[in-house]
Amino acid sequence: MKKIVIAIDGHSSSGKSTMAKDLAKEIGYTYIDTGAMYRAVTLYCIQHGFFEGEKIKEEELKASIHDIDISFRLNAETGRPDTYLNGVNVEKEIRGMEWPWKGGKKGGFLATLGFVRRALVAKQQEMGKAKGIVMDGRDIGTVVFPDAELKLFVTASPEVRAKRRVDELEAKGIPASYEEVLENVKKRDYIDSTREESPLRQADDALVLDNSHMTLEEQKTWLLEQYHKAIGS
Ligand code: DC
């Protein structure tokens, strides 16, 4: 069967990662979470003392950017890929509770640096060369794979996304204030879409999915339909 590249971009907390993972599993594609790659670079910087407060020692990071090896390996227990930084599983660390880009700090800042983006985009293009991938992020359909056969842009209202995030945190036993989370969601949207380097924007040929009022099942059905259309089956 014809293998394609599926590019999924969209707002934070829009549920695009869950969607992308489930789709990849269903159709036997490799899932690549590019947000995890930006997170892994941030972790590397923390481990190597490259942050001074919220500032980064750019020259030092530039000098070591090609020493940062990021890969994904399937976790047999979860059936999903875990992120490895220079051979070490960092999945827990990069998803951690007090993750530094809450409020768009360290990690959000790193994603604005052109040399970091260029290095990660090159790795992402290499990972997708053989096709048969579902890649999610902010710039996949616009920068990484502008020729992807299927491009999706996922969004939901900030209020719906904040509510989902609060429910998610509470399910993990982490109390969260809706107002605070909503403010955070809006801040992240602002940072993602106003940065100079590869801002989050919808590719002209992307299909938009606003899932504010959709169930997971409805989303899944819609997504599979788009996939079958794209491969012509
Ligand atoms: O989707 P996420 O929260 O895991 O992303 C982590 C950070 O990386 C966030 O600041 C957005 C940024 N990012 C990006 O700039 N480009 C991508 N392709 C993926 C994520």
Side-chain angles (χ1 to χ4, degrees):
M1 206 186 295
K2 178 181 165 191
K3 292 230 175 203
I4 62 169
V5 170
I6 304 178
I8 304 190
D9 292 304
H11 289 112
S12 67
S13 303
S14 60
K16 63 181 175 350
S17 302
T18 309
M19 250 177 73
K21 271 180 215 156
D22 290 350
L23 176 67
K25 208 170 172 184
E26 179 92 22
I27 62 177
Y29 274 28
T30 303
Y31 166 64
I32 297 163
D33 175 355
T34 64
M37 298 173 76
Y38 287 91
R39 290 174 184 239
V41 173
T42 307
L43 181 63
Y44 182 93
C45 291
I46 294 170
Q47 288 172 343
H48 289 77
F50 289 174
F51 279 112
E52 284 171 324
E54 279 169 30
K55 281 212 183 115
I56 184 86
K57 297 177 185 165
E58 271 193 46
E59 289 314 313
E60 298 189 26
L61 175 56
K62 247 183 216 164
S64 31
I65 195 84
H66 296 293
D67 300 336
I68 307 179
D69 177 58
I70 302 165
S71 58
F72 296 101
R73 292 182 214 161
L74 199 69
N75 176 323
E77 247 169 64
T78 61
R80 290 178 168 174
D82 282 348
T83 313
Y84 283 73
L85 171 60
N86 290 335
V88 178
N89 186 331
V90 293
E91 195 57 31
K92 276 209 190 80
E93 286 91 331
I94 65 165
R95 307 291 172 196
M97 38 333 123
E98 282 315 319
W99 193 244
W101 39 66
K102 287 211 159 156
K105 295 192 180 146
K106 292 177 182 163
F109 170 70
L110 268 190
T112 66
L113 297 175
F115 71 93
V116 172
R117 299 204 73 85
R118 282 190 291 279
L120 293 191
V121 167
K123 283 182 206 283
Q124 291 153 8
Q125 288 171 334
E126 184 61 33
M127 288 172 173
K129 229 171 42 185
K131 302 209 175 196
I133 56 150
V134 180
M135 189 175 276
D136 84 358
R138 306 290 191 287
D139 58 344
I140 313 306
T142 51
V143 176
V144 184
F145 288 109
D147 297 327
E149 291 85 350
L150 179 58
K151 296 183 190 177
L152 305 169
F153 188 88
V154 190
T155 187
S157 71
E159 290 74 17
V160 166
R161 287 185 281 137
K163 167 84 173 59
R164 286 182 191 155
R165 183 89 188 108
V166 168
D167 291 348
E168 214 177 84
L169 289 169
E170 284 180 350
K172 286 185 192 159
I174 307 167
S177 132
Y178 171 78
E179 292 306 328
E180 237 173 72
V181 173
L182 178 61
E183 195 186 320
N184 197 271
V185 163
K186 289 183 177 167
K187 236 188 228 167
R188 286 179 52 157
D189 285 358
Y190 179 79
I191 291 169
D192 280 347
S193 51
T194 56
R195 67 169 176 238
E196 256 172 55
E197 289 280 345
S198 309
L200 170 67
R201 68 172 182 83
Q202 197 185 309
D204 294 337
D205 51 351
L207 302 171
V208 180
L209 174 68
D210 181 337
N211 62 18
S212 301
H213 305 292
M214 280 171 100
T215 63
L216 283 179
E217 213 41 49
E218 285 168 338
Q219 261 192 81
K220 209 170 156 186
T221 308
W222 181 86
L223 208 55
L224 278 174
E225 265 172 34
Q226 308 315 315
Y227 162 70
H228 285 295
K229 270 190 211 159
I231 62 164
S233 68

